[in-house]
Amino acid sequence: MSAVILLVEDEEKLARFTELELVHEGYRVEKSGNGREALELALNNHYDLILLDIMLPGLNGLEVLRRLLKEKQVPVILLTARDAVMDKVSGLDAGAVDYITKPFAIEELLARIRVALKLHPASVLEKAGETAEEGVLSWHDLTLDERRHQVRYAGHEIPLTNREFTMLKVLLENQDIVLSRDTLLSRVCGYDYAGETNVVDVYIRYLRSKIDDAFGVRMIRTVRGVGYVIKSE
Ligand code: CA
């Protein structure tokens, strides 16, 4: 899946040109020309990288950066004016991974983007954030928050029933371990459940349609004759 970049730049010509180049390189690009809107977008969606201009209408880029990084970890490259040394310093202090001075050569920007994506892969950042956060399990872009009883994929909330939620939780807790239908059944429905084990297949089917099919991933694998597993790779 190609990386998704949020491009926050209010100079329309520059934004359009940069977008074309990024798309040409195979990135998926979303654009915003307003700091407040960009913060909203960044908080509510998954981006692998954010290119953030500093002088913006709505909300200053540095303020967007500070508020954003308080809530989630995402690599940000600042787009700064030539002489704005203080902006660069404050930006790096506030947690930006890099900056590039305008006007820039597109090749340089692309190189910096490649480095940032390599050094700060989104899944690693998200996992690092989660070890500090109790009760949150994850797989790639998916997170399951036990306390909030909430499952999200790349920021999008997925409504699950209690049993779907429990089944997903058990699978996520046991990544790389194949769980039999009996094991899953007793963990999800209780040990004294007297029904058929094929209810497990039914819940798996619901989970797959809400997650695997909806987001085009292969999360839950069937191990023929044994059961189901989520592989961590
Ligand atoms: Ca600007």
Side-chain angles (χ1 to χ4, degrees):
M1 231 160 55
S2 56
V4 188
I5 296 177
L6 177 63
L7 171 60
V8 188
E9 171 60 74
D10 60 319
E11 288 164 52
E12 269 198 34
K13 261 189 178 167
L14 178 61
R16 217 171 307 149
F17 167 73
T18 309
E19 179 188 25
L20 283 176
E21 293 288 342
L22 293 175
V23 169
H24 183 73
E25 285 297 304
Y27 298 113
R28 278 166 51 206
V29 180
E30 284 179 37
K31 266 190 315 185
S32 171
N34 178 289
R36 206 166 285 282
E37 180 195 73
L39 178 62
E40 204 59 29
L41 281 170
L43 287 174
N44 293 304
N45 297 282
H46 168 85
Y47 298 105
D48 296 289
L49 179 86
I50 298 177
L51 298 174
L52 181 61
D53 183 28
I54 290 185
M55 296 296 285
L56 287 168
L59 199 62
N60 176 294
L62 290 174
E63 197 50 40
V64 173
L65 180 68
R66 286 194 196 97
R67 294 195 199 177
L68 172 64
L69 295 186
K70 232 185 266 171
E71 299 294 323
K72 66 198 277 192
Q73 298 193 50
V74 52
V76 175
I77 298 178
L78 292 171
L79 311 176
T80 70
R82 190 195 305 271
D83 298 319
V85 178
M86 274 319 291
D87 282 352
K88 293 168 191 166
V89 173
S90 326
L92 293 174
D93 280 347
V97 299
D98 202 355
Y99 64 81
I100 187 164
T101 306
K102 294 194 283 187
F104 48 78
I106 195 70
E107 290 75 18
E108 186 185 354
L109 177 66
L110 294 173
R112 286 177 187 271
I113 289 173
R114 282 194 295 273
V115 170
L117 288 173
K118 201 165 162 192
L119 292 178
H120 308 276
S123 55
V124 172
L125 284 175
E126 274 156 21
K127 278 198 188 103
E130 278 152 26
T131 50
E133 214 181 320
E134 251 183 75
V136 178
L137 300 165
S138 74
W139 179 84
H140 295 224
D141 289 339
L142 180 125
T143 56
L144 179 148
D145 186 332
E146 262 187 87
R147 282 177 305 180
R148 295 199 183 103
H149 210 272
Q150 193 177 62
V151 174
R152 285 170 171 269
Y153 191 90
H156 301 277
E157 197 175 337
I158 304 165
L160 296 181
T161 65
N162 280 338
R163 285 191 168 170
E164 291 164 357
F165 187 91
T166 306
M167 169 104 44
L168 180 60
K169 181 171 102 76
V170 172
L171 286 163
L172 286 171
E173 284 170 341
N174 295 283
Q175 285 182 46
D176 299 312
I177 300 170
V178 181
L179 299 174
S180 69
R181 285 180 178 77
D182 286 324
T183 301
L184 283 167
L185 189 68
S186 60
R187 295 289 301 276
V188 175
C189 301
Y191 286 94
D192 51 4
Y193 182 78
E196 298 286 343
T197 54
N198 66 13
V199 299
V200 168
D201 303 303
V202 173
Y203 289 128
I204 293 283
R205 205 156 64 227
Y206 290 151
L207 283 173
R208 278 179 173 156
S209 91
K210 288 181 179 180
I211 300 168
D212 297 38
D213 300 347
F215 296 97
V217 293
R218 266 194 79 207
M219 181 177 71
I220 303 174
R221 317 267 180 130
T222 306
V223 181
R224 224 172 276 273
V226 187
Y228 296 99
V229 62
I230 291 178
K231 292 200 171 163
S232 59
E233 31 77 337

